[in-house]
Amino acid sequence: IRKMREPFAAVDTWHTSFTLTNKPDHHLFFGPTGDVLMPDEYPIFGKESTSMSRIRQHFKTAADAGMCTWFVPQAFHWGAYRTKEKYDKFRYPTELEMRSMVLLAMNLGTGGYCFYSYNPIFQTQEKFDPGSSMQFWPQVCNVAKMLRELEAFFFTDDVKTLKCRNNGKNLTEAKLY
């Protein structure tokens, strides 16, 4: 992969290359193949899947290795890809869950976002769940709009970590921008 990337970098120093991986353990091996590492962890499967902990693991691993990261949040229904399984075994991430994903990545220092994936929203998901794009797409757009409104805070050092009191089992963290 590096051998494919290096000629582009030599000719065009402004030709940024991105490396995606959904395995935090691969960051050290695949990270150097691009200028920006893009963790693509998609945690929402079925009713039971609500944890964002693997997203945290990706950013911790990348930060420990000193890598620049952009986050690839989940904006699709897994049933669009796992077509041999029943579509309703899976579910859409809620707008709140998508917001949680991108804000967690922001708190962990991401330098940008690239939502994945648009074509299943309008093609595959529509095939299995007609009319779903009319409901799901505006939620994705709301999350992107929120990010746009917060973009001034992405590259600021003026951030204070807040102490959170958590009465539940889930990890809670917050930052004041």
Side-chain angles (χ1 to χ4, degrees), residues 97-114:
E97 288 168 331
M98 289 186 284
R99 285 177 182 264
S100 295
M101 286 180 221
V102 299
L103 291 173
L104 174 59
M106 183 176 169
N107 280 354
L108 297 172
T110 193
Y113 297 90
C114 180

PDB file of all heavy atoms in Angstrom, residues 97-114:
ATOM      1  N   GLU A  97     -27.690   8.837  18.510  1.00  0.00           N
ATOM      2  CA  GLU A  97     -26.502   7.977  18.447  1.00  0.00           C
ATOM      3  C   GLU A  97     -25.475   8.517  17.455  1.00  0.00           C
ATOM      4  O   GLU A  97     -24.269   8.495  17.739  1.00  0.00           O
ATOM      5  CB  GLU A  97     -26.903   6.544  18.081  1.00  0.00           C
ATOM      6  CG  GLU A  97     -27.607   5.840  19.224  1.00  0.00           C
ATOM      7  CD  GLU A  97     -28.274   4.545  18.826  1.00  0.00           C
ATOM      8  OE1 GLU A  97     -28.688   4.399  17.650  1.00  0.00           O
ATOM      9  OE2 GLU A  97     -28.393   3.659  19.702  1.00  0.00           O
ATOM     10  N   MET A  98     -25.935   9.013  16.313  1.00  0.00           N
ATOM     11  CA  MET A  98     -24.986   9.607  15.366  1.00  0.00           C
ATOM     12  C   MET A  98     -24.335  10.851  15.964  1.00  0.00           C
ATOM     13  O   MET A  98     -23.130  11.070  15.799  1.00  0.00           O
ATOM     14  CB  MET A  98     -25.680   9.933  14.039  1.00  0.00           C
ATOM     15  CG  MET A  98     -26.043   8.695  13.227  1.00  0.00           C
ATOM     16  SD  MET A  98     -26.714   9.063  11.592  1.00  0.00           S
ATOM     17  CE  MET A  98     -28.385   9.582  12.004  1.00  0.00           C
ATOM     18  N   ARG A  99     -25.114  11.657  16.683  1.00  0.00           N
ATOM     19  CA  ARG A  99     -24.542  12.826  17.367  1.00  0.00           C
ATOM     20  C   ARG A  99     -23.508  12.375  18.399  1.00  0.00           C
ATOM     21  O   ARG A  99     -22.437  12.960  18.507  1.00  0.00           O
ATOM     22  CB  ARG A  99     -25.630  13.639  18.064  1.00  0.00           C
ATOM     23  CG  ARG A  99     -26.482  14.451  17.135  1.00  0.00           C
ATOM     24  CD  ARG A  99     -27.593  15.163  17.919  1.00  0.00           C
ATOM     25  NE  ARG A  99     -28.449  15.910  17.053  1.00  0.00           N
ATOM     26  CZ  ARG A  99     -28.317  17.208  16.811  1.00  0.00           C
ATOM     27  NH1 ARG A  99     -27.382  17.905  17.403  1.00  0.00           N
ATOM     28  NH2 ARG A  99     -29.142  17.812  15.991  1.00  0.00           N
ATOM     29  N   SER A 100     -23.839  11.330  19.146  1.00  0.00           N
ATOM     30  CA  SER A 100     -22.907  10.814  20.157  1.00  0.00           C
ATOM     31  C   SER A 100     -21.601  10.366  19.527  1.00  0.00           C
ATOM     32  O   SER A 100     -20.523  10.631  20.057  1.00  0.00           O
ATOM     33  CB  SER A 100     -23.539   9.644  20.915  1.00  0.00           C
ATOM     34  OG  SER A 100     -24.644  10.076  21.654  1.00  0.00           O
ATOM     35  N   MET A 101     -21.699   9.687  18.381  1.00  0.00           N
ATOM     36  CA  MET A 101     -20.494   9.221  17.693  1.00  0.00           C
ATOM     37  C   MET A 101     -19.594  10.391  17.310  1.00  0.00           C
ATOM     38  O   MET A 101     -18.388  10.373  17.590  1.00  0.00           O
ATOM     39  CB  MET A 101     -20.874   8.464  16.411  1.00  0.00           C
ATOM     40  CG  MET A 101     -21.448   7.106  16.617  1.00  0.00           C
ATOM     41  SD  MET A 101     -21.835   6.371  15.000  1.00  0.00           S
ATOM     42  CE  MET A 101     -23.404   5.616  15.373  1.00  0.00           C
ATOM     43  N   VAL A 102     -20.175  11.396  16.663  1.00  0.00           N
ATOM     44  CA  VAL A 102     -19.339  12.486  16.158  1.00  0.00           C
ATOM     45  C   VAL A 102     -18.821  13.378  17.282  1.00  0.00           C
ATOM     46  O   VAL A 102     -17.698  13.887  17.209  1.00  0.00           O
ATOM     47  CB  VAL A 102     -20.051  13.315  15.068  1.00  0.00           C
ATOM     48  CG1 VAL A 102     -20.404  12.429  13.880  1.00  0.00           C
ATOM     49  CG2 VAL A 102     -21.270  14.043  15.581  1.00  0.00           C
ATOM     50  N   LEU A 103     -19.613  13.561  18.343  1.00  0.00           N
ATOM     51  CA  LEU A 103     -19.140  14.381  19.464  1.00  0.00           C
ATOM     52  C   LEU A 103     -18.060  13.657  20.257  1.00  0.00           C
ATOM     53  O   LEU A 103     -17.109  14.279  20.726  1.00  0.00           O
ATOM     54  CB  LEU A 103     -20.315  14.792  20.358  1.00  0.00           C
ATOM     55  CG  LEU A 103     -21.275  15.790  19.714  1.00  0.00           C
ATOM     56  CD1 LEU A 103     -22.500  15.999  20.598  1.00  0.00           C
ATOM     57  CD2 LEU A 103     -20.587  17.108  19.409  1.00  0.00           C
ATOM     58  N   LEU A 104     -18.199  12.352  20.394  1.00  0.00           N
ATOM     59  CA  LEU A 104     -17.148  11.575  21.051  1.00  0.00           C
ATOM     60  C   LEU A 104     -15.848  11.723  20.260  1.00  0.00           C
ATOM     61  O   LEU A 104     -14.782  11.982  20.834  1.00  0.00           O
ATOM     62  CB  LEU A 104     -17.540  10.107  21.156  1.00  0.00           C
ATOM     63  CG  LEU A 104     -16.472   9.159  21.701  1.00  0.00           C
ATOM     64  CD1 LEU A 104     -16.031   9.557  23.105  1.00  0.00           C
ATOM     65  CD2 LEU A 104     -16.983   7.725  21.683  1.00  0.00           C
ATOM     66  N   ALA A 105     -15.933  11.576  18.945  1.00  0.00           N
ATOM     67  CA  ALA A 105     -14.734  11.726  18.106  1.00  0.00           C
ATOM     68  C   ALA A 105     -14.160  13.131  18.246  1.00  0.00           C
ATOM     69  O   ALA A 105     -12.936  13.308  18.294  1.00  0.00           O
ATOM     70  CB  ALA A 105     -15.061  11.419  16.653  1.00  0.00           C
ATOM     71  N   MET A 106     -15.017  14.132  18.326  1.00  0.00           N
ATOM     72  CA  MET A 106     -14.537  15.512  18.496  1.00  0.00           C
ATOM     73  C   MET A 106     -13.803  15.648  19.830  1.00  0.00           C
ATOM     74  O   MET A 106     -12.717  16.224  19.897  1.00  0.00           O
ATOM     75  CB  MET A 106     -15.720  16.481  18.438  1.00  0.00           C
ATOM     76  CG  MET A 106     -15.320  17.937  18.527  1.00  0.00           C
ATOM     77  SD  MET A 106     -16.805  18.946  18.330  1.00  0.00           S
ATOM     78  CE  MET A 106     -16.150  20.536  18.804  1.00  0.00           C
ATOM     79  N   ASN A 107     -14.391  15.096  20.891  1.00  0.00           N
ATOM     80  CA  ASN A 107     -13.743  15.154  22.200  1.00  0.00           C
ATOM     81  C   ASN A 107     -12.407  14.419  22.209  1.00  0.00           C
ATOM     82  O   ASN A 107     -11.520  14.753  22.985  1.00  0.00           O
ATOM     83  CB  ASN A 107     -14.648  14.559  23.282  1.00  0.00           C
ATOM     84  CG  ASN A 107     -15.712  15.515  23.743  1.00  0.00           C
ATOM     85  OD1 ASN A 107     -15.750  16.676  23.354  1.00  0.00           O
ATOM     86  ND2 ASN A 107     -16.618  15.022  24.571  1.00  0.00           N
ATOM     87  N   LEU A 108     -12.275  13.432  21.343  1.00  0.00           N
ATOM     88  CA  LEU A 108     -11.046  12.637  21.286  1.00  0.00           C
ATOM     89  C   LEU A 108     -10.056  13.165  20.255  1.00  0.00           C
ATOM     90  O   LEU A 108      -9.040  12.546  19.993  1.00  0.00           O
ATOM     91  CB  LEU A 108     -11.385  11.168  21.018  1.00  0.00           C
ATOM     92  CG  LEU A 108     -12.215  10.499  22.120  1.00  0.00           C
ATOM     93  CD1 LEU A 108     -12.665   9.112  21.693  1.00  0.00           C
ATOM     94  CD2 LEU A 108     -11.440  10.440  23.425  1.00  0.00           C
ATOM     95  N   GLY A 109     -10.363  14.323  19.643  1.00  0.00           N
ATOM     96  CA  GLY A 109      -9.374  15.005  18.811  1.00  0.00           C
ATOM     97  C   GLY A 109      -9.414  14.752  17.323  1.00  0.00           C
ATOM     98  O   GLY A 109      -8.416  14.998  16.637  1.00  0.00           O
ATOM     99  N   THR A 110     -10.531  14.284  16.779  1.00  0.00           N
ATOM    100  CA  THR A 110     -10.576  14.070  15.331  1.00  0.00           C
ATOM    101  C   THR A 110     -10.352  15.377  14.584  1.00  0.00           C
ATOM    102  O   THR A 110     -10.696  16.450  15.072  1.00  0.00           O
ATOM    103  CB  THR A 110     -11.910  13.431  14.883  1.00  0.00           C
ATOM    104  OG1 THR A 110     -11.775  12.990  13.547  1.00  0.00           O
ATOM    105  CG2 THR A 110     -13.076  14.397  14.978  1.00  0.00           C
ATOM    106  N   GLY A 111      -9.771  15.271  13.406  1.00  0.00           N
ATOM    107  CA  GLY A 111      -9.514  16.458  12.593  1.00  0.00           C
ATOM    108  C   GLY A 111     -10.554  16.673  11.508  1.00  0.00           C
ATOM    109  O   GLY A 111     -10.526  17.674  10.808  1.00  0.00           O
ATOM    110  N   GLY A 112     -11.477  15.734  11.351  1.00  0.00           N
ATOM    111  CA  GLY A 112     -12.500  15.867  10.329  1.00  0.00           C
ATOM    112  C   GLY A 112     -13.407  14.664  10.321  1.00  0.00           C
ATOM    113  O   GLY A 112     -13.236  13.728  11.095  1.00  0.00           O
ATOM    114  N   TYR A 113     -14.374  14.707   9.410  1.00  0.00           N
ATOM    115  CA  TYR A 113     -15.378  13.650   9.314  1.00  0.00           C
ATOM    116  C   TYR A 113     -15.633  13.294   7.860  1.00  0.00           C
ATOM    117  O   TYR A 113     -15.568  14.143   6.983  1.00  0.00           O
ATOM    118  CB  TYR A 113     -16.714  14.113   9.919  1.00  0.00           C
ATOM    119  CG  TYR A 113     -16.621  14.410  11.388  1.00  0.00           C
ATOM    120  CD1 TYR A 113     -16.294  15.685  11.835  1.00  0.00           C
ATOM    121  CD2 TYR A 113     -16.848  13.420  12.326  1.00  0.00           C
ATOM    122  CE1 TYR A 113     -16.189  15.967  13.183  1.00  0.00           C
ATOM    123  CE2 TYR A 113     -16.752  13.690  13.679  1.00  0.00           C
ATOM    124  CZ  TYR A 113     -16.424  14.965  14.098  1.00  0.00           C
ATOM    125  OH  TYR A 113     -16.319  15.231  15.433  1.00  0.00           O
ATOM    126  N   CYS A 114     -15.955  12.043   7.626  1.00  0.00           N
ATOM    127  CA  CYS A 114     -16.380  11.574   6.314  1.00  0.00           C
ATOM    128  C   CYS A 114     -17.468  10.538   6.574  1.00  0.00           C
ATOM    129  O   CYS A 114     -17.174   9.419   6.992  1.00  0.00           O
ATOM    130  CB  CYS A 114     -15.205  10.954   5.568  1.00  0.00           C
ATOM    131  SG  CYS A 114     -15.653  10.362   3.937  1.00  0.00           S
TER     132      CYS A 114
END
